[in-house]
Amino acid sequence: MASTVVAVGLTIAAAGFAGRYVLQAMKHVEPQVKQVFQSLPKSAFSGGYYRGGFEPKMTKREAALILGVSPTANRGKIRDAHRRIMLLNHPDKGTRTAVIQILNSLKLLQETHF
């Protein structure tokens, strides 16, 4: 019984020392981790979305801004952007069908002007 108590005590002490070592090591690594996260590319959905109003008839430029692609993007990039946005706004996740129709018309507008 006494040996079990000693083993548990040593295990707790070892865990404490290991945790202290990790916390001290993290202080030295923190600036490097921040730098890595700042150098990562910003995604199209991190607050850089299109904030403009809509024209009465959608233009190719406006469709490109909403999809997050260049107005001269090729069909592959348009399809990838459309797929990414559709996965985020899938009807099974509660998105209204009007949004889906707009996204599909964006894709068609971009592809027909290619």
Side-chain angles (χ1 to χ4, degrees):
M1 173 84 172
S3 63
T4 304
V5 173
V6 171
V8 169
L10 289 174
T11 303
I12 292 172
F17 282 117
R20 182 174 177 239
Y21 175 77
V22 168
L23 288 175
Q24 287 178 348
M26 288 301 292
K27 288 181 184 177
H28 298 293
V29 178
E30 184 180 3
Q32 295 166 345
V33 171
K34 283 184 180 179
Q35 184 180 9
V36 167
F37 279 122
Q38 288 174 350
S39 68
L40 291 174
K42 302 290 183 200
S43 74
F45 304 104
S46 64
Y49 59 90
Y50 178 57
R51 296 177 188 254
F54 293 107
E55 301 291 329
K57 183 176 179 184
M58 188 176 296
T59 63
K60 182 180 177 186
R61 179 186 168 276
E62 188 174 40
L65 287 171
I66 294 170
L67 284 174
V69 297
S70 165
T72 59
N74 62 21
R75 285 189 177 167
K77 287 185 180 183
I78 294 168
R79 286 186 184 140
D80 289 343
H82 178 264
R83 184 173 192 279
R84 183 180 66 241
I85 293 172
M86 286 297 290
L87 287 174
L88 292 171
N89 295 291
H90 197 273
D92 290 344
K93 293 184 179 180
T95 303
R96 289 193 258 162
T97 56
V99 174
I100 303 300
Q101 291 171 347
I102 291 171
L103 291 173
N104 287 330
S105 65
L106 292 172
K107 180 182 171 196
L108 289 173
L109 179 68
Q110 283 293 91
E111 286 183 343
T112 56
H113 284 84
F114 179 67

